[in-house]
Amino acid sequence: MMKFRFRRQGNDPQREKIKQELFAFNKTVEHGFPHQPSSLAFDPRLQIMAIGTKSGAVKIYGAPGVEFTGLHKDTAAVTQIQFLPAQGRLLSLLDDNSIHLWELVGGAPREVGGARREPTVGLQEVRSYCLPGRPGIENCSTSRVTVLLLLGSCDLLCVGTEGGGVHFLDLPRLSLRENQSLLQDQVIQSLPDDYRCGKSLGPVESLQEHPQQPGVILIGYSRGLVVLWDLSTRHVDHVFLGKQQLESLVWERSGKSFVSSHNDGGYSVWAVTSGNPYTQQPVSSTIPYGPFPCKAISKILLRTTVSGAPMLLYSGGMPRASYGDRHCLTVQQDKEHVTLDFTSRVIDFFTIHSVEREQEFDEPSAVVVLLDEELVVVDLHTPGWPTLPTPYLAPLHSSAITCSCHVSSVPPKLWDRVGQCLNQMYLFWPICGGKNLAPSAKQQELLLTGHEDGTVRFWDASGVALTPIYKLSTAGVFHTDCDPVGCFDPYSDDPRLGIQKITLCKYSNKLVVAGTAGQVLILALSDERSDHQVEVSVVDLLQDREGFTWKGHGRLDPRARPGPFPPGFQPQLLVQCMPPASVTAVTLHAEWHLVAFGTSHGFGLFDYQRRSAVLARCTLHPNDSLAMEGPLSRVKSLKKSLRQSFRRIRKSRVSGKKRPVPTTMPTSKVQEANAALAEQEDVAPVQRRIEPRSADDSLSGVVRCLCFADTFLRDGTHHGPTLWAGTNSGSVYAYALEVPGGGAGSSVEALLGKEIQLMHRAPVVWICVLDGRGRPLPEPYEASRDLAAAPDMSTAHSVLIASEEQLKVFSLPKVSAKTKFKLTAHEGCRVRRVALVALSSAVQEDYSEHTLVCLTNLGDMHLFNVPALRPQVRYDCIRKEDISGIASCVFTKTGQGFYLISPSEYERFSLSAKVITEPLCSLQLDRPLEHASASDGPTAQPRANGTHKNQTDQAEDLQSGLSSPAQDSPLDSPLSFADLTLDSTGELTVEDVRDFLTTVDEVENNMRNIKEEEGRTAGILIN
Amino acid sequence: MILSAVLQPDNTMSRHQQRTPFKLPQNVVEVKSKFDAEYRRFALKRSGAGSFQEFYRLLQSVHHIPGTDLMLGYADIHGDLLPINNDDNFQKAVSSANPLLRIILTRKEDEPIVFATNSLQRRKKGLGLTGLRPNASGSTHQKNKPGLMIGLPQDFRQISSIIDVDILPESHRRVRLHKHGTRKPLGFYIRDGVSVRVTPQGVEKVPGVFISRLVRGGLAESTGLLGVNDEILEVNGIDVAGKSLDQVTDMMVANSHNLIVTVKPANQRNNVLPRGSKVSAGNASLGSGSTGSALSCDSPSPVSHSNPITASDSIAEGYSEEEDDDGDLIIENDNLSTYIPHNLHSSNNGNYSRDSLGRLGSVASSAPLAHSASMPSSFVTSTSDTSMTTVNQNGSPAHTASSSSQESMREDGNSITL
């Protein structure tokens, strides 16, 4: 306190260089299914597919690992996408009526942390065009683009509008061909009088180019009229006088006929004959799901096959009354008729078929359907038309993700066995354009997601494509009503099945899954199907605490009969916490055969080898009524808040009128007091109370983190197994464990060694024990199997406790504070997620540092070194409003991480300058690939909803990669080099002197304790 | 004031002297008042003890010092020396007496008593047994006071202070709230708002954070230093400009045990004028030697701009090895608590008081108390004066009633020298 220290840390050039080599923040790739897709396109030449989203993102997918992303400057829905075949260019139409041309460009080679990275190909917007409104007409809806058609020659774009006009744009300049537009008036002139009847033709609904005669296009108007228009002669070749409102058109391959689909759920086949310019009636007209009123067929495709009968694919057309709310796609060929009933809306679909002119038939091999929530590919070659598993674009959110867990460097043994469990093979994937240049992953990485429906999904997170490899369902252990059908299932049967915490021991293949109803399942990997009964143990965490009634949900009933468990992870043991509150923390030590779990009431320790509960400790504070009564008592507070809000409404109504001034009557004293009370309850909307945390804040007993460590708790010479638990109220409990070796007779014992109450009482988010060199202890089995460097047991260990407000390192076994960083007091942010990651230098091969990463409630990442806890770098990562994104963040051991940017997408990011997983791919284009020069490269593009990141802005990446450590670091602020010696010169009050005296006393006291402790034996210390 | 039936000024003194405390009925408070070295004992009715003025006059008459301006202090149950200067605290003093109400009288022209939390204990701890200066002898040791007369502190315990007055612009106020020891809530709310700043470019509106509400009876309200609509500029030395309401909330909560807020009061009329470094006895900040007073009071620029020294001085460094204010509680399992601040505190006090008692005793034993009470106190003053001047850096002498408190048991039943 009386010291004068001014550390200037930021100006050491050597350290700055190392920091640049270690740290670099990049958002690398988005895994999962794009949120709110709005359009779909396919380039049959390059075999790549593009998906546009409502947030203005365009994503191109090819073979697994081939991905490009572009983001429009405006956050408008991408309503249509058109590829310029084989050119690596695409056109996009946005909701705001603008047309954009995108191009794949080669990136400039860039440097991250001093190491050169391969240049990558990126998607870049080249130019845009907005169709001008008709002069003099305010209502611009007439010039609103409805359809785009790119001619096969790729030099002309036909644009159909709401007003019924068709305009022509030159490509790639995107310039309007003046005076060439085809307006409705011209068409109407060529119509027979009886068809005209004074009405407009309606918007252009479809534009299709003749498959055999280039320059001849079919124009379909909403009213039903279809016109065959010759571009070169600017003449109407043929008119088809349809009467039914038109939805879409498709040519037959030969060009002799076309099919139109209609609003009434029917489709018609029209023959194109060269005689009479007027065709009154179609060749045939069918309403497949008639005769009752049907919904419109919004899109229809006709594909010819070698086998004879053409294949007809269309979306919609279902009977309005009984199936009007279904999302269906019908595939019809000859006698075969399959209706695919999807769980979400069909946005668009295309077939993969041969496009070479020489081929006589389309011969479709697959149909790709883009739905609101997933992508479905149906194999049309295989009889029965089965769906193909998608190697990417997997709907992560098939049931809502409730938690996630990352396992890095998975041993090949486990990897192969898990892979075998799922019989899915990704042999045939029709969208196979591009070449993945990314080096194959050095190590296998698993991402485990827990879902609301009680499933745990295993994803291959080693590369750019997040591929599902295994799905485990825990619902089979319990007695539930039924099993869900389909992949995207937004409704879970029983919310209690939801997975809250997952932990996996990759060496012993033990998996622990804990859920919402206090269930902790211990599973083991097995290659054989099994029909065993799952053992159940109940652990009471209340420990006879008086005055408690759990009003929350009940526990899940275990299934009475032995369940058939498929190969894979099979449940061995169910530990049921009572009361069945949601499990808030779980940790596993497979070497000691121990699992620890915590809820809002306390925590327990279970020996799953001996099948016995070792410890149960209640952490409830006596005043904590909220936890005492279970989550249902929140209803009360809801009632209260309702009352308050009603009061507020009433008050706001009253406040308009003049309130009578209270007269000072002798009897009005009570009224006055009441008024004052009401005044106090009237809480302004944006107002925050400033009160220190108190011991009896609600839910103070929630166990936030648990940790096993082999360290020194009893004394400085004998280390042994320990268990650490941290709660919401800033309490940390440290137990010394007695783990007998092997022998079945003796049992595990746990003895409370230390109890730490953090003075600031903030929730303890994370606990980690560091060895003598300040490194984290290795995982179970790693030390004993020589898989990792043995921890330093010769010098004193320390424990790093991260609360929401502070990071603090305490020495062991004497728990005295060594270093700390008060994050909240200085930055005003609270710690949400903490991890210790090993970051390797991008330049020096063998240099790496352990870095503490904190994700705060403001969505920024703070990096600290350990155990000194000095701030290194700060990066903005997630928008602070994106609470679910912040809550979902997981870190890998090597400095990467994932967080949810939408219910269906993970953003992958990297804090390391070395370990970056990003798309690195190439495409064989018809044109030479241009290179984006660093100077005129795209500037920082706005993010659609703050979540998407443009892959092309490498120039920016380069810049930020180099400068961010200096720019973003808090070292620039006066805060970093000023010392914590709070105003040592400024004010020396009586208060300070007393504080100083007490600290001296404390030191003396500690000294005395040390002496006392030395006198005592370990056995006495830990009773 | 309703005095006990037996107590009439002057002529009844001899009667109640003979009283022993054991015979006192429950509704009567035994009062022992001390003026210089003289003690008086009498009784008061607990209920309806009357007004302060009546009591004041009674004391004057009991001590035969009519016309002397007095300051009244009493020792409360915590051993704190607290003032009696109005009806309220007089009532409090009477109601809290158990069983004895110890009154200490001082002449007003004497060194003012510092009434504060632990004011009695601190002295025992080592600041010297200077305490209540025995006026006759003590004044000779006293260095001449500066001409500036500092008024009596208003409150019983120090719960707040204005600090850094000399380095802050006049329009700003840096307030320290002492949460520890009190059961009161901090009791204030903050809100978002718009602050108007005068810049060279003209008037500029920037988002700011303001105090929106003070809870009745809370610490913030009771200090009177914070008001509704005061703009918060800094929290524990960190500029809040550009921080959101939630960030500022978190910062304040994280610092709540020792909260220092710099505000720009909405009411600018009560500003303290900076006067060098001598501002107030208890809270003067020592030697930062800044030139804050030169700043125009009109410029509402943020503190950090106008006052970089302050900013860097008071900004706390996040990573620090030294133990500052928040020692965490660590409990060993064997229920032998190694460090529990509260227990420690009291045990220390015990130690110190024993020490002081020992010292006192050595003096007192040579001079039996029955003979004269003035002797030991003068000895004590002279012996401890040196320690006072060295330890008590603030230059504010701590006053004591300890001599009386420690000896009180032995004095019971002693006759008072008249």
Side-chain angles (χ1 to χ4, degrees):
Chain A
M1 187 161 248
M2 310 295 258
K3 285 180 241 167
F4 300 91
R5 285 182 302 148
F6 291 93
R7 286 195 219 101
R8 285 193 78 92
Q9 200 204 359
N11 53 7
D12 178 8
Q14 193 64 33
R15 181 64 199 159
E16 286 306 302
K17 187 167 170 289
I18 292 174
K19 274 159 78 171
Q20 281 183 20
E21 290 168 5
L22 288 173
F23 314 126
F25 182 73
N26 284 299
K27 289 184 182 176
T28 50
V29 64
E30 285 154 21
H31 294 306
F33 185 75
H35 188 51
Q36 293 187 310
S38 53
S39 53
L40 177 73
F42 182 63
D43 182 347
R45 302 275 300 281
L46 290 178
Q47 297 279 307
I48 53 175
M49 166 181 72
I51 293 176
T53 71
K54 280 193 180 152
S55 53
V58 178
K59 298 182 167 202
I60 299 179
Y61 300 93
V66 177
E67 274 187 47
F68 309 99
T69 308
L71 189 70
H72 288 94
K73 286 189 184 72
D74 305 303
T75 311
V78 183
T79 51
Q80 281 185 54
I81 304 178
Q82 289 275 341
F83 270 107
L84 280 69
Q87 291 190 10
R89 292 194 178 105
L90 63 84
L91 287 159
S92 63
L93 172 67
L94 295 195
D95 208 21
D96 63 1
N97 212 31
S98 58
I99 300 166
H100 301 259
L101 178 67
W102 293 80
E103 201 170 83
L104 287 173
V105 291
R110 58 197 180 123
E111 208 169 316
V112 175
R116 284 179 71 84
R117 299 208 156 260
E118 288 290 310
T120 53
V121 179
L123 193 60
Q124 184 184 324
E125 186 180 334
V126 181
R127 56 183 66 88
S128 67
Y129 176 78
C130 196
L131 206 62
R134 253 204 214 152
I137 296 175
E138 286 299 307
N139 186 5
C140 64
S141 75
T142 50
S143 66
R144 187 172 176 79
V145 179
T146 51
V147 283
L148 297 178
L149 169 68
L150 183 72
L151 291 195
S153 52
C154 284
D155 57 356
L156 191 66
L157 179 71
C158 311
V159 179
T161 64
E162 200 120 291
V166 179
H167 306 272
F168 302 96
L169 299 176
D170 273 322
L171 282 177
R173 290 178 297 114
L174 275 181
S175 56
L176 184 70
R177 280 194 187 172
E178 299 288 344
N179 304 322
Q180 289 214 7
S181 301
L182 170 65
L183 301 178
Q184 244 181 40
D185 307 342
Q186 285 172 267
V187 178
I188 288 174
Q189 280 165 18
S190 57
L191 292 181
D193 286 345
D194 59 330
Y195 194 83
R196 279 186 212 170
C197 65
K199 281 194 282 183
S200 99
L201 296 174
V204 178
E205 284 294 337
S206 184
L207 289 170
Q208 298 292 335
E209 193 187 14
H210 197 286
Q212 302 300 332
Q213 303 168 20
V216 177
I217 60 171
L218 200 62
I219 306 168
Y221 294 96
S222 180
R223 206 176 119 193
L225 180 77
V226 180
V227 173
L228 193 62
W229 172 262
D230 194 328
L231 281 171
S232 49
T233 60
R234 296 189 47 76
H235 180 259
V236 175
D237 277 359
H238 206 113
V239 174
F240 306 89
L241 301 168
K243 299 280 196 306
Q244 193 50 249
Q245 194 177 330
L246 188 79
E247 289 286 330
S248 81
L249 294 173
V250 64
W251 278 105
E252 200 259 340
R253 192 181 177 93
S254 61
K256 288 180 187 127
S257 64
F258 68 88
V259 181
S260 63
S261 75
H262 300 280
N263 192 35
D264 64 344
Y267 64 87
S268 309
V269 182
W270 302 78
V272 183
T273 50
S274 55
N276 183 0
Y278 300 110
T279 303
Q280 299 283 350
Q281 290 294 326
V283 177
S284 69
S285 196
T286 323
I287 300 181
Y289 293 100
F292 297 111
C294 293
K295 299 203 82 170
I297 293 178
S298 54
K299 181 176 179 175
I300 190 160
L301 290 178
L302 179 76
R303 299 289 179 239
T304 54
T305 56
V306 186
S307 56
M311 190 177 278
L312 204 58
L313 306 102
Y314 51 87
S315 62
M318 303 306 288
R320 187 176 293 273
S322 37
Y323 298 99
D325 55 343
R326 301 298 180 94
H327 314 288
C328 293
L329 182 86
T330 305
V331 186
Q332 226 178 307
Q333 184 186 25
D334 209 6
K335 291 278 177 290
E336 261 186 286
H337 179 127
V338 171
T339 309
L340 304 162
D341 185 1
F342 299 109
T343 53
S344 55
R345 195 169 57 94
V346 177
I347 288 158
D348 203 354
F349 61 98
F350 63 83
T351 58
I352 294 164
H353 58 271
S354 72
V355 285
E356 276 82 41
R357 285 261 163 87
E358 309 84 64
Q359 298 283 331
E360 200 180 335
F361 298 102
D362 289 321
E363 203 51 38
S365 59
V367 59
V368 178
V369 189
L370 179 68
L371 304 165
D372 243 346
E373 307 288 357
E374 60 189 311
L375 184 86
V376 173
V377 179
V378 178
D379 181 5
L380 298 175
H381 269 323
T382 316
W385 300 333
T387 55
L388 291 170
T390 56
Y392 50 82
L393 284 171
L396 290 169
H397 60 318
S398 48
S399 170
I401 294 175
T402 46
C403 67
S404 44
C405 161
H406 184 270
V407 184
S408 42
S409 49
V410 178
K413 222 166 95 186
L414 171 65
W415 187 262
D416 295 342
R417 284 177 70 185
V418 171
Q420 281 166 12
C421 300
L422 197 71
N423 295 323
Q424 268 181 9
M425 305 301 267
Y426 303 104
L427 291 176
F428 172 63
W429 180 246
I431 303 158
C432 53
K435 222 168 96 186
N436 185 5
L437 299 177
S440 57
K442 289 191 193 76
Q443 52 182 23
Q444 306 292 352
E445 288 180 37
L446 267 180
L447 183 69
L448 277 63
T449 54
H451 297 261
E452 206 179 16
D453 62 352
T455 55
V456 178
R457 279 154 217 257
F458 288 58
W459 306 88
D460 176 2
S462 324
V464 170
L466 190 72
T467 313
I469 50 174
Y470 173 61
K471 178 182 151 186
L472 163 78
S473 176
T474 63
V477 182
F478 304 102
H479 185 78
T480 50
D481 299 335
C482 59
D483 290 317
V485 183
C487 203
F488 177 75
D489 175 26
Y491 313 106
S492 168
D493 295 341
D494 193 335
R496 293 176 298 171
L497 285 171
I499 307 294
Q500 293 297 328
K501 296 284 162 196
I502 305 170
T503 172
L504 172 72
C505 175
K506 59 191 181 189
Y507 302 111
S508 64
N509 306 335
K510 283 272 190 298
L511 176 71
V512 176
V513 172
T516 309
Q519 73 271 34
V520 180
L521 270 175
I522 295 136
L523 304 102
L525 189 60
S526 163
D527 299 329
E528 301 296 324
R529 188 194 138 88
S530 167
D531 288 323
H532 63 272
Q533 178 83 41
V534 179
E535 272 184 64
V536 183
S537 288
V538 177
V539 176
D540 179 22
L541 293 177
L542 277 183
Q543 296 290 293
D544 306 325
R545 189 65 76 97
E546 291 292 314
F548 183 89
T549 42
W550 168 254
K551 293 176 187 165
H553 49 66
R555 57 179 281 193
L556 285 163
D557 298 321
R559 192 187 278 245
R561 56 198 156 76
F565 298 111
F569 283 96
Q570 293 171 348
Q572 290 188 315
L573 181 71
L574 168 66
V575 181
Q576 178 65 50
C577 303
M578 290 307 280
S582 177
V583 176
T584 53
V586 145
T587 185
L588 166 76
H589 201 295
E591 207 169 351
W592 304 335
H593 310 290
L594 291 175
V595 61
F597 42 87
T599 70
S600 50
H601 302 104
F603 57 93
L605 180 66
F606 198 88
D607 179 353
Y608 59 79
Q609 194 182 40
R610 296 173 185 83
R611 301 280 199 261
S612 67
V614 178
L615 167 75
R617 159 96 193 205
C618 183
T619 53
L620 282 181
H621 191 272
N623 300 352
D624 188 354
S625 57
L626 202 58
M628 292 290 268
E629 290 176 4
L632 272 187
S633 68
R634 281 164 198 270
V635 177
K636 272 189 208 155
S637 61
L638 177 71
K639 211 192 279 171
K640 193 179 162 197
S641 66
L642 272 177
R643 197 193 309 140
Q644 266 182 358
S645 55
F646 272 119
R647 238 175 232 162
R648 215 172 296 145
I649 292 166
R650 208 186 313 144
K651 202 161 273 252
S652 66
R653 284 207 193 114
V654 171
S655 64
K657 305 163 204 159
K658 267 241 156 122
R659 256 187 269 176
V661 181
T663 48
T664 46
M665 295 278 284
T667 51
S668 69
K669 264 216 161 149
V670 180
Q671 287 172 10
E672 249 174 68
N674 281 345
L677 205 70
E679 206 77 45
Q680 274 194 358
E681 275 191 11
D682 183 35
V683 182
V686 275
Q687 190 171 242
R688 297 282 183 274
R689 202 169 79 107
I690 309 298
E691 270 325 313
R693 297 164 190 273
S694 68
D696 51 352
D697 273 351
S698 58
L699 295 173
S700 59
V702 178
V703 176
R704 293 290 296 267
C705 55
L706 290 160
C707 144
F708 283 114
D710 181 8
T711 188
F712 302 90
L713 188 64
R714 294 153 188 256
D715 56 68
T717 48
H718 303 90
H719 64 89
T722 57
L723 169 69
W724 299 74
T727 73
N728 232 13
S729 60
S731 296
V732 176
Y733 305 92
Y735 281 82
L737 306 180
E738 213 47 81
V739 182
S746 50
S747 61
V748 180
E749 278 176 49
L751 304 155
L752 183 63
K754 296 275 196 307
E755 214 178 304
I756 304 165
Q757 175 61 58
L758 298 177
M759 218 53 175
H760 57 287
R761 295 193 177 277
V764 179
V765 181
W766 190 75
I767 300 174
C768 175
V769 175
L770 306 172
D771 74 357
R773 286 183 296 252
R775 295 176 193 167
L777 297 179
E779 285 179 55
Y781 287 114
E782 278 188 345
S784 59
R785 293 188 187 175
D786 279 337
L787 296 162
D792 179 11
M793 290 304 204
S794 55
T795 42
H797 283 196
S798 49
V799 61
L800 172 50
I801 296 175
S803 76
E804 271 193 10
E805 292 185 353
Q806 296 185 6
L807 309 168
K808 228 164 176 175
V809 174
F810 295 90
S811 66
L812 286 177
K814 173 99 224 106
V815 182
S816 56
K818 274 167 78 182
T819 54
K820 75 171 152 198
F821 188 85
K822 295 163 115 182
L823 193 65
T824 309
H826 297 121
E827 309 281 328
C829 53
R830 296 213 209 146
V831 178
R832 284 279 173 268
R833 297 269 152 180
V834 188
L836 203 54
V837 300
L839 296 181
S840 308
S841 167
V843 179
Q844 301 171 58
E845 202 53 51
D846 51 349
Y847 184 76
S848 76
E849 272 185 24
H850 285 284
T851 304
L852 188 75
V853 186
C854 285
L855 174 67
T856 70
N857 63 338
L858 302 180
D860 47 3
M861 301 274 181
H862 293 256
L863 273 64
F864 300 90
N865 64 356
V866 280
L869 294 182
R870 279 171 204 287
Q872 304 292 306
V873 202
R874 191 189 71 81
Y875 301 110
D876 287 324
C877 182
I878 311 175
R879 287 177 308 129
K880 68 176 175 191
E881 294 82 14
D882 187 4
I883 294 164
S884 66
I886 293 170
S888 64
C889 185
V890 283
F891 294 98
T892 76
K893 287 237 157 40
T894 53
Q896 296 195 72
F898 303 86
Y899 66 90
L900 287 172
I901 48 175
S902 71
S904 56
E905 276 172 295
Y906 273 111
E907 173 80 66
R908 190 185 190 118
F909 62 89
S910 173
L911 296 161
S912 164
K914 188 173 190 186
V915 185
I916 298 172
T917 306
E918 60 185 345
L920 203 61
C921 44
S922 69
L923 273 176
Q924 204 65 44
L925 304 181
D926 273 2
R927 59 183 174 89
L929 197 65
E930 286 168 39
H931 282 271
S933 59
S935 58
D936 66 39
T939 49
Q941 297 203 9
R943 289 182 189 166
N945 45 17
T947 54
H948 295 287
K949 166 133 175 85
N950 188 359
Q951 293 293 316
T952 59
D953 52 356
Q954 289 132 346
E956 189 205 19
D957 277 1
L958 168 70
Q959 207 176 19
S960 63
L962 283 178
S963 59
S964 61
Q967 267 177 1
D968 300 339
S969 85
L971 299 169
D972 288 342
S973 66
L975 196 145
S976 53
F977 24 83
D979 211 294
L980 193 69
T981 49
L982 205 142
D983 250 5
S984 43
T985 50
E987 32 140 16
L988 190 69
T989 61
V990 183
E991 216 60 43
D992 282 342
V993 173
R994 205 180 63 229
D995 285 350
F996 179 65
L997 289 175
T998 51
T999 47
V1000 169
D1001 294 340
E1002 189 185 313
V1003 170
E1004 284 173 6
N1005 218 330
N1006 286 344
M1007 295 290 281
R1008 203 161 58 231
N1009 282 325
I1010 289 168
K1011 277 179 203 138
E1012 280 171 17
E1013 198 170 275
E1014 280 166 358
R1016 247 181 283 134
T1017 61
I1020 299 167
L1021 182 66
I1022 316 287
N1023 64 15
Chain B
M1 181 181 186
I2 301 151
L3 298 173
S4 63
V6 290
L7 182 64
Q8 292 299 322
D10 290 344
N11 54 357
T12 55
M13 288 303 290
S14 55
R15 263 210 276 163
H16 78 263
Q17 280 170 24
Q18 270 84 28
R19 266 213 154 118
T20 57
F22 310 105
K23 287 175 191 165
L24 273 177
Q26 273 300 304
N27 58 344
V28 172
V29 178
E30 189 185 353
V31 181
K32 179 176 145 188
S33 79
K34 174 175 179 272
F35 176 69
D36 283 4
E38 295 185 10
Y39 295 95
R40 294 286 186 276
R41 285 174 164 278
F42 55 92
L44 277 179
K45 251 193 188 145
R46 196 183 285 272
S47 56
S51 73
F52 165 69
Q53 280 305 328
E54 288 174 284
F55 183 63
Y56 186 83
R57 267 180 259 124
L58 172 69
L59 284 171
Q60 282 184 327
S61 57
V62 163
H63 281 273
H64 302 290
I65 43 168
T68 315
D69 279 344
L70 294 173
M71 281 198 304
L72 277 61
Y74 76 100
D76 81 338
I77 46 168
H78 304 293
D80 293 349
L81 181 63
L82 303 173
I84 301 178
N85 48 19
N86 56 37
D87 286 354
D88 287 343
N89 49 21
F90 172 58
Q91 291 293 347
K92 177 73 186 164
V94 171
S95 62
S96 64
N98 78 343
L100 185 72
L101 174 63
R102 291 194 308 244
I103 302 285
I104 292 118
L105 300 178
T106 356
R107 264 187 265 269
K108 220 164 219 168
E109 57 266 28
D110 282 343
E111 179 77 5
I113 313 172
V114 169
F115 300 107
T117 310
N118 294 338
S119 47
L120 292 175
Q121 296 164 1
R122 184 181 306 129
R123 188 186 48 254
K124 290 174 214 153
K125 267 185 175 177
L127 295 183
L129 276 165
T130 54
L132 253 195
R133 191 159 305 281
N135 312 299
S137 54
S139 57
T140 54
H141 299 280
Q142 184 61 30
K143 290 183 186 77
N144 270 341
K145 288 293 296 171
L148 188 69
M149 180 65 192
I150 294 162
L152 271 179
Q154 303 300 312
D155 288 302
F156 286 177
R157 292 165 208 280
Q158 189 177 27
I159 54 169
S160 63
S161 47
I162 302 184
I163 56 174
D164 293 348
V165 183
D166 50 343
I167 53 172
L168 283 177
E170 278 174 56
S171 58
H172 297 167
R173 181 186 296 162
R174 186 167 289 169
V175 177
R176 184 175 198 163
L177 294 178
H178 303 266
K179 175 73 179 88
H180 43 76
T182 62
R183 281 288 161 89
K184 273 185 185 174
L186 278 174
F188 68 101
Y189 288 70
I190 59 172
R191 63 166 171 88
D192 276 322
V194 177
S195 165
V196 180
R197 298 264 160 91
V198 182
T199 61
Q201 289 79 39
V203 177
E204 182 184 55
K205 283 187 174 175
V206 292
V209 177
F210 297 84
I211 293 174
S212 64
R213 188 155 81 81
L214 298 177
V215 177
R216 210 159 293 176
L219 192 59
E221 193 210 32
S222 65
T223 64
L225 301 177
L226 299 174
V228 172
N229 293 334
D230 286 2
E231 184 184 358
I232 292 162
L233 303 169
E234 289 181 342
V235 175
N236 285 51
I238 291 165
D239 196 351
V240 302
K243 291 206 159 58
S244 70
L245 183 67
D246 288 330
Q247 273 178 286
V248 177
T249 307
D250 286 342
M251 286 164 71
M252 286 185 156
V253 170
N255 285 311
S256 54
H257 55 271
N258 179 28
L259 184 62
I260 301 167
V261 283
T262 309
V263 294
K264 191 181 149 216
N267 179 0
Q268 288 282 332
R269 279 173 297 179
N270 300 334
N271 290 340
V272 183
L273 292 172
R275 277 185 312 250
S277 62
K278 285 172 198 160
V279 182
S280 78
N283 311 314
S285 43
L286 297 180
S288 46
S290 93
T291 54
S293 54
L295 286 161
S296 154
C297 58
D298 299 10
S299 84
S301 57
V303 179
S304 57
H305 277 232
S306 61
N307 221 334
I309 299 168
T310 322
S312 61
D313 271 357
S314 52
I315 280 173
E317 181 192 67
Y319 40 90
S320 98
E321 276 92 57
E322 73 259 50
E323 209 34 58
D324 56 348
D325 25 36
D326 52 351
D328 302 315
L329 187 66
I330 292 139
I331 302 167
E332 303 282 334
N333 69 308
D334 46 7
N335 293 333
L336 188 128
S337 53
T338 55
Y339 169 51
I340 302 166
H342 282 290
N343 294 356
L344 178 69
H345 214 79
S346 51
S347 73
N348 274 348
N349 293 338
N351 288 341
Y352 278 115
S353 54
R354 248 178 278 125
D355 287 353
S356 57
L357 197 64
R359 264 195 283 166
L360 234 165
S362 64
V363 181
S365 56
S366 63
L369 288 159
H371 292 182
S372 164
S374 69
M375 281 300 286
S377 56
S378 66
F379 270 120
V380 168
T381 315
S382 57
T383 49
S384 59
D385 213 337
T386 48
S387 67
M388 182 273 289
T389 46
T390 52
V391 177
N392 195 350
Q393 299 189 14
N394 299 21
S396 65
H399 290 250
T400 181
S402 78
S403 50
S404 63
S405 71
Q406 294 303 329
E407 297 152 27
S408 63
M409 290 312 289
R410 278 181 271 171
E411 282 170 13
D412 275 346
N414 280 352
S415 62
I416 294 172
T417 38
L418 290 170

